[in-house]
Amino acid sequence: MEIDGPMMRKSMFFLGFGLWVLLVVALAAEGITVNTSSSGPKVVNIGALLTVNSVIGRSVKPAIIAAVDDVNSDKTILGDTHLNLILHDTNCSGFLGTIEALELMEKNVVAAIGPQSSTIAHIISHVVNELHVPLLSFGATDPTLSALQFPYFLRTTQTDYYQMSAIADIIEHFQWKEVIAIYVDDDYGRNGISSLGDSLAQNRAKITYKAAFTPGASVDGLTEILTAVNLMESRVYVVHVNPDTGIDVFKVAKKLGMMTSGYVWITTEWLPAVLDSSQQINTDTGSDYSDVMTLLQGVVTLRQHTPNSYLKKLFVGKWKNIKLKETASFNTYALYAYDSVWLVARALHALLKSGQSITFSSDARLRKADESMLRFSGLRTFNEGPKLLETLLSTNFTGVSGEIRFDREKNLVNPGYDVLNIGGTGVRTIGYWTKSSGLSVDSPDKTYAKKVNSNSSSGTKRLYSVIWPGETSVKPRGWVFPNNGKPLRIGVPYRHSYKEVVTKDVRSPQGVRGYSIDVFEAAVDLLPYPVPREYILYGDGVRNPSYSNLVAAVADNTFDAAVGDVTIITNRTRIVDFTQPYMESGLVIVVPVKKSKTSQWAFLRPFTLEMWLVTGGFFLLVGFVVWILEHRLNQEFRGPPSQQIITILWFSFSTMFFSHRENTVSTLGRFVLLLWLFVVLIINSSYTASLTSILTVQQLTSGIEGIDGMISSNEPIGIQDGSFAYNYLVQELNIAQSRIRSLKDQNDYINALRLGPKRGGVAAIVDELPYVELFMTYTQCEFRIVGREFTKSGWGFAFQRDSPLALDLSTAVLQLSENGELERIHDKWLSTSSCSSKAMETDTNSLSLSSFWGLFLICGIACFISLGIYFWRVLCQYRRFDPDLEETQEIPEPESARRSSRRTLLSTSFKDLIDFYDKKEAEIKEMLKRHKLQGNEHSDSPR
């Protein structure tokens, strides 16, 4: 039969088409998908995993659908390729969610958006690692979902590591040291709180109790947990739970009275997710928005920061037009889910544009599971998965949540949080947190734009004021004494010596008494809250206990505190916290003393021999100078030579006692005498003070005069039993241990010092000043403190590290010091020895010339200047005086002869000069006056 041409061509077409279909089916059976168009596949499947009926799911589902619609309507992305969304509901169950995720993987999806649960993300991450399907989670914030273990897991939201760092900074900002964590006991809750503990430890804070409850816990279960929490010390609670059950925690807290003043509630970002989407259209919680806000008054919470950009405003407008949505508003998870879809679309666009195709292949290992009812052979490997993952990590764009870009650890860059405070009917922003600057009032947009680092921004680490529970702006203390009937365990040293400080008292209801106890009780009375306490004696009373061991007992939680004469030293501050010192202290040296025999020549010891000779010489010099200056004017300085010598000597030494009877009439003489009397006053005062010291203070002598003498000596040294002085002498001063003797009480002190090193005693005792003052009182100043305090410390009360009671008691101790109560308690128990007020030094050196040479120099210069002026005046008078003129007054001489007969200074005989000087000043002036008149008469006569 002949077949015509058209029929033949039609038959060949159908035959070829059938063979092509068979080929495609055969290849599909082998797990290979072939692109039917050179421009790319028409449809690409992407998956979504979320709990639809949840706080997050009700916001995220419309956002994902809207994002897929926007991508498909934008021809610049993927061109003619459309995204096909396959959504699976995880039903808020780890088991069902895992099954749904496995079923989703059978649909040949190139990427999956979700899940919102960290528990499901942990399981599915193992699956996508094998199938090479990128998993972009907008809600799994568990910080242990690391990029190394799960390379195909991409977190398109912020990790809880940053959120917990922000909470730790808030706690540090308000100076709280202990918190209680309330969390859901799953991967999300446990690992988030573990990260919080690490962040708190960096700020020297800690989680004192972890209150965990199972997912979906009943109200009775929450009540039991919060009741136990309320009996504990800390009042700072960090709540890290799922959004769907978190409000129940605050409902129970409200019933238990835990939302009042004194409590601090800090939540993670689950709470803003509830509030941002709490205006539900189809609500099943039975609570409206106002009821929820009433529960949360004073709560501080965090919300992931998303910039208020133009794209975000467009999304807000688009949200209002979304149909079939179950919430009137959305939370930040919706923004990150929306951007996750766009991230996949952009990465696919780049992948297809580079010439890659979309293919899947079967895993031979899964074919062996065909006999299983689970049909694991339906799971196929995405061949281009590694390339798509690489493209996703390198994609960088700005979405509705901000900048979408990954760092080396596959976390979004520039993490930031809004710090929110709930008050009234709304929520207000009190600050922000960023990775680079910590807490600040500047938004993360400005912070990262300025590229501020943590060092330069540390000064701006602050928040705006907070309204705390109870409608108060006063920062809560953050802790109270627990209501579980356990008082504060206070270790008290049971001393054998110096029982005035602290000791056992069987007649007191407290069981202890002493100076330290009274100070502690007075400080506790100033606290604004009661402190139940129990004093527990440490030691047996036979010997003083080891104070270092007592402090160690506080550090290892044997005691809550130590009250007594506990010295604050460096090694102890490393393991406990001390209050402000209530008593100043320091190590001093006590030595035995004896009276030295006073010599009959002791009155000469104040001055050295050189000083005595120079002083005596100046007495004679000043007397002679004054005699010269007064001889011509003052009749008391004239007379026979023997009388004038006696006058000089008498006047010189009588000035020592200011008892000279001769008056000075010349100006120069008075000037010299005034300066000399000042010098004599200084010398007399110094001599009196030095002699008094020699005859009184220096009656005490000692072989050791201070710390240097003690170190250089090889003689034994006594210390108080149990004192830190042993370690100080050995470790700091390098004194041999064999030289140190431990002494139990005051009697051992006295016996050891009296015996001395040669008879089995000690040469000196090293102890703290308060004890030594008491010891001096017992011995009535038989011994002496030498040198100065060579340590500076004090007594304080020891508490466990980061105990808030230490800070409050420090303030109370300062108040006691300011109002005088501390001094009153001191005077009641401790009396200050009068010995300690005496001079510490036992060696007084004689005064030498070096201490007074300046005075002698001034006085000597004044004497020589006065003599120079005086002799210049005398010589001027002598030049105008002519003794021959007195003999030939009646015989006039020619003018030329009179001029030639005038003597010059060089032709003057020494005898005439002495005779001229010996004349009285009045006589000389009269002669000169008469000489001048005669000279005028001669000049007026005719020649």
Side-chain angles (χ1 to χ4, degrees):
M1 182 175 69
E2 186 177 42
I3 302 175
D4 58 357
M7 179 64 72
M8 184 67 175
R9 287 192 295 272
K10 185 179 296 186
S11 299
M12 293 298 294
F13 170 78
F14 284 110
L15 177 62
F17 179 76
L19 291 174
W20 180 84
V21 171
L22 291 175
L23 178 62
V24 171
V25 172
L27 292 175
E30 294 297 324
I32 303 175
T33 302
V34 182
N35 292 337
T36 60
S37 174
S38 59
S39 61
K42 294 296 183 180
V43 177
V44 176
N45 294 334
I46 65 170
L49 292 169
L50 61 136
T51 301
V52 176
N53 189 23
S54 66
V55 172
I56 297 177
R58 283 187 285 269
S59 289
V60 167
K61 179 182 176 181
I64 293 178
I65 295 174
V68 173
D69 292 341
D70 290 344
V71 170
N72 290 333
S73 62
D74 188 349
K75 296 301 181 180
T76 63
I77 301 295
L78 294 178
D80 294 331
T81 301
H82 280 62
L83 294 181
N84 179 38
L85 176 64
I86 304 174
L87 191 148
H88 279 236
D89 189 355
T90 58
N91 295 299
C92 199
S93 169
F95 175 70
L96 296 178
T98 302
I99 294 177
E100 293 291 334
L102 291 174
E103 291 182 354
L104 178 64
M105 293 298 108
E106 293 179 342
K107 306 297 178 58
N108 292 340
V109 294
V110 297
I113 309 299
Q116 69 189 59
S117 169
S118 297
T119 301
I120 300 176
H122 270 280
I123 301 174
I124 299 304
S125 293
H126 291 284
V127 177
V128 298
N129 282 353
E130 296 295 330
L131 302 180
H132 299 169
V133 177
L135 188 66
L136 289 77
S137 178
F138 54 84
T141 57
D142 181 0
T144 63
L145 288 165
S146 65
L148 294 177
Q149 184 181 7
F150 307 116
Y152 282 86
F153 174 82
L154 288 182
R155 197 192 327 265
T156 54
T157 184
Q158 299 296 344
T159 172
D160 276 343
Y161 171 80
Y162 296 127
Q163 182 173 209
M164 297 308 171
S165 298
I167 292 178
D169 284 352
I170 293 174
I171 292 171
E172 181 190 28
H173 176 77
F174 291 106
Q175 299 178 348
W176 296 313
K177 294 299 182 180
E178 297 179 351
V179 302
I180 292 177
I182 302 173
Y183 63 99
V184 60
D185 193 11
D186 59 9
D187 291 337
Y188 160 74
R190 285 191 303 271
N191 296 329
I193 293 302
S194 177
S195 180
L196 174 62
D198 295 339
S199 298
L200 289 174
Q202 296 177 2
N203 298 335
R204 286 190 60 185
K206 62 182 179 180
I207 300 174
T208 57
Y209 183 74
K210 295 181 179 180
F213 59 89
T214 58
S218 64
V219 174
D220 292 338
L222 293 176
T223 302
E224 182 180 353
I225 291 173
L226 293 185
T227 300
V229 165
N230 198 29
L231 295 176
M232 298 178 183
E233 179 178 341
S234 178
R235 284 290 185 264
V236 181
Y237 306 131
V238 176
V239 183
H240 184 53
V241 297
N242 294 318
D244 299 280
T245 59
I247 297 299
D248 293 337
V249 174
F250 287 96
K251 288 181 180 179
V252 175
K254 185 75 172 180
K255 292 180 181 179
L256 296 177
M258 299 175 66
M259 298 302 296
T260 58
S261 60
Y263 290 87
V264 177
W265 292 89
I266 302 174
T267 77
T268 51
E269 59 187 353
W270 66 266
L271 183 55
V274 174
L275 297 179
D276 292 342
S277 57
S278 62
Q279 298 177 4
Q280 300 178 3
I281 297 175
N282 296 317
T283 179
D284 56 359
T285 62
S287 301
D288 58 17
Y289 184 78
S290 60
D291 293 337
V292 173
M293 295 301 293
T294 302
L295 291 174
L296 303 174
Q297 295 297 302
V299 175
V300 175
T301 185
L302 296 178
R303 178 174 58 199
Q304 294 190 47
H305 177 78
T306 55
N308 193 22
S309 63
Y310 175 73
L311 292 176
K312 183 177 178 181
K313 293 178 180 179
L314 289 178
F315 180 82
V316 172
K318 186 178 301 183
W319 183 270
K320 298 178 181 179
N321 299 323
I322 295 178
K323 297 180 180 180
L324 301 178
K325 63 179 183 291
E326 300 182 32
T327 60
S329 58
F330 59 89
N331 50 45
T332 55
Y333 293 103
L335 299 177
Y336 285 108
Y338 182 88
D339 283 342
S340 299
V341 175
W342 274 95
L343 175 61
V344 173
R346 290 176 181 273
L348 284 173
H349 176 75
L351 180 69
L352 296 176
K353 190 176 181 180
S354 65
Q356 297 289 332
S357 59
I358 306 297
T359 62
F360 293 85
S361 62
S362 298
D363 192 335
R365 294 172 298 175
L366 295 177
R367 287 188 178 184
K368 296 179 182 180
D370 283 343
E371 298 179 359
S372 172
M373 297 298 294
L374 297 177
R375 295 178 300 176
F376 288 116
S377 60
L379 300 176
R380 293 178 174 85
T381 301
F382 180 29
N383 297 327
E384 285 74 27
K387 185 64 178 178
L388 178 61
L389 175 64
E390 181 181 347
T391 308
L392 286 169
L393 292 174
S394 62
T395 300
N396 180 9
F397 71 99
T398 300
V400 295
S401 62
E403 183 180 8
I404 304 298
R405 179 165 57 91
F406 295 97
D407 58 18
R408 293 180 179 179
E409 297 178 355
K410 299 183 181 179
N411 292 319
L412 289 179
V413 298
N414 300 337
Y417 289 88
D418 302 337
V419 184
L420 309 176
N421 181 214
I422 302 174
T425 59
V427 178
R428 66 188 186 97
T429 302
I430 59 174
Y432 304 91
W433 183 91
T434 58
K435 178 183 176 181
S436 61
S437 63
L439 295 176
S440 174
V441 295
D442 295 331
S443 67
D445 310 328
K446 296 181 180 179
T447 302
Y448 286 118
K450 297 178 181 178
K451 296 182 180 180
V452 181
N453 56 51
S454 58
N455 293 329
S456 63
S457 63
S458 58
T460 62
K461 200 172 187 179
R462 62 186 185 274
L463 298 172
Y464 291 118
S465 61
V466 180
I467 304 299
W468 302 102
E471 298 182 358
T472 177
S473 60
V474 179
K475 185 196 79 170
R477 189 169 65 248
W479 66 276
V480 295
F481 279 95
N483 297 324
N484 53 11
K486 294 182 180 179
L488 198 69
R489 300 165 301 168
I490 302 176
V492 177
Y494 189 6
R495 295 189 55 87
H496 176 73
S497 61
Y498 301 113
K499 296 184 177 181
E500 298 91 337
V501 179
V502 62
T503 190
K504 179 180 179 180
D505 186 8
V506 295
R507 294 174 296 180
S508 170
Q510 299 171 344
V512 289
R513 63 179 175 86
Y515 167 68
S516 297
I517 300 300
D518 281 6
V519 173
F520 182 76
E521 289 290 330
V524 169
D525 290 341
L526 293 177
L527 298 180
Y529 48 87
V531 180
R533 52 199 178 275
E534 175 188 4
Y535 293 104
I536 304 173
L537 291 173
Y538 183 79
D540 55 11
V542 178
R543 300 181 69 94
N544 291 337
S546 171
Y547 281 70
S548 296
N549 292 341
L550 174 60
V551 172
V554 175
D556 62 20
N557 201 31
T558 302
F559 299 115
D560 297 315
V563 172
D565 48 334
V566 183
T567 305
I568 304 172
I569 58 177
T570 303
N571 289 339
R572 295 173 182 173
T573 58
R574 294 191 178 105
I575 59 176
V576 297
D577 285 346
F578 281 94
T579 63
Q580 179 79 13
Y582 64 90
M583 164 70 86
E584 293 184 358
S585 180
L587 293 178
V588 294
I589 302 173
V590 181
V591 297
V593 294
K594 61 181 180 179
K595 291 187 178 181
S596 60
K597 296 180 180 180
T598 304
S599 171
Q600 62 271 25
W601 302 103
F603 67 91
L604 295 176
R605 290 180 58 189
F607 291 158
T608 60
L609 177 61
E610 182 183 31
M611 180 66 182
W612 279 117
L613 294 176
V614 173
T615 302
F618 260 85
F619 272 110
L620 294 177
L621 173 65
V622 171
F624 181 69
V625 170
V626 171
W627 175 83
I628 293 175
L629 299 177
E630 294 290 326
H631 178 71
R632 299 177 65 192
L633 298 174
N634 195 338
Q635 185 62 35
E636 295 180 354
F637 289 87
R638 299 184 66 83
S642 59
Q643 181 180 350
Q644 295 187 45
I645 293 175
I646 294 173
T647 299
I648 292 174
L649 295 176
W650 165 255
F651 179 82
S652 297
F653 292 101
S654 62
T655 56
M656 181 185 302
F657 310 103
F658 305 99
S659 60
H660 51 283
R661 64 173 183 269
E662 293 82 8
N663 296 321
T664 53
V665 297
S666 67
T667 302
L668 294 177
R670 290 176 177 177
F671 170 70
V672 172
L673 183 61
L674 179 65
L675 286 179
W676 175 242
L677 291 178
F678 174 73
V679 174
V680 170
L681 175 65
I682 300 300
I683 293 175
N684 279 345
S685 301
S686 302
Y687 177 85
T688 303
S690 181
L691 183 61
T692 302
S693 176
I694 291 173
L695 297 178
T696 57
V697 174
Q698 260 199 300
Q699 289 178 351
L700 305 174
T701 60
S702 171
I704 295 178
E705 300 177 1
I707 184 173
D708 295 331
M710 181 184 68
I711 295 174
S712 61
S713 172
N714 292 321
E715 296 176 336
I717 302 168
I719 63 168
Q720 184 181 167
D721 194 17
S723 172
F724 77 96
Y726 180 88
N727 291 332
Y728 181 83
L729 295 178
V730 174
Q731 298 175 5
E732 301 296 332
L733 301 184
N734 297 321
I735 294 177
Q737 299 182 18
S738 58
R739 294 180 55 193
I740 301 176
R741 306 285 188 271
S742 293
L743 306 175
K744 291 176 58 177
D745 53 24
Q746 299 92 314
N747 292 330
D748 286 356
Y749 277 28
I750 295 173
N751 294 333
L753 288 173
R754 286 176 177 175
L755 288 175
K758 295 182 179 180
R759 294 187 294 171
V762 297
I765 288 177
V766 175
D767 206 348
E768 295 181 73
L769 184 58
Y771 302 125
V772 171
E773 290 179 342
L774 286 173
F775 176 68
M776 292 295 186
T777 304
Y778 300 152
T779 59
Q780 298 180 352
C781 304
E782 182 180 351
F783 306 99
R784 172 52 53 85
I785 300 173
V786 293
R788 299 179 179 179
E789 294 181 66
F790 50 92
T791 62
K792 286 292 184 181
S793 58
W795 293 349
F797 306 127
F799 290 86
Q800 294 180 10
R801 291 298 296 270
D802 302 322
S803 172
L805 191 59
L807 180 61
D808 291 349
L809 275 177
S810 294
T811 304
V813 169
L814 291 176
Q815 292 178 2
L816 291 177
S817 177
E818 293 171 357
N819 61 25
E821 183 67 14
L822 195 61
E823 184 177 0
R824 186 194 66 79
I825 298 174
H826 178 276
D827 295 340
K828 172 186 175 182
W829 289 97
L830 309 177
S831 57
T832 303
S833 171
S834 59
C835 306
S836 61
S837 62
K838 297 182 179 179
M840 297 285 186
E841 301 294 335
T842 59
D843 184 19
T844 304
N845 297 323
S846 300
L847 299 175
S848 63
L849 181 62
S850 60
S851 302
F852 301 94
W853 72 268
L855 290 173
F856 288 129
L857 179 63
I858 294 174
C859 185
I861 293 175
C863 290
F864 283 108
I865 291 176
S866 299
L867 287 177
I869 294 174
Y870 177 77
F871 282 123
W872 178 77
R873 289 179 54 198
V874 170
L875 290 176
C876 289
Q877 290 178 348
Y878 185 70
R879 291 184 61 185
R880 290 183 295 153
F881 174 72
D882 189 354
D884 295 338
L885 185 62
E886 298 296 326
E887 299 176 0
T888 58
Q889 295 182 17
E890 287 82 8
I891 303 175
E893 294 182 355
E895 181 67 21
S896 59
R898 189 166 58 249
R899 292 177 180 175
S900 62
S901 63
R902 183 167 297 173
R903 300 189 181 191
T904 63
L905 181 60
L906 297 176
S907 61
T908 303
S909 66
F910 181 74
K911 183 178 181 300
D912 294 339
L913 180 60
I914 293 301
D915 291 341
F916 177 78
Y917 170 75
D918 193 49
K919 296 181 182 294
K920 292 184 178 181
E921 183 75 16
E923 295 179 1
I924 296 299
K925 289 182 178 181
E926 182 64 27
M927 291 179 184
L928 292 176
K929 183 178 180 180
R930 187 167 55 250
H931 173 72
K932 182 177 180 180
L933 292 175
Q934 291 177 358
N936 292 335
E937 291 177 357
H938 284 291
S939 61
D940 293 337
S941 59
R943 301 189 177 187

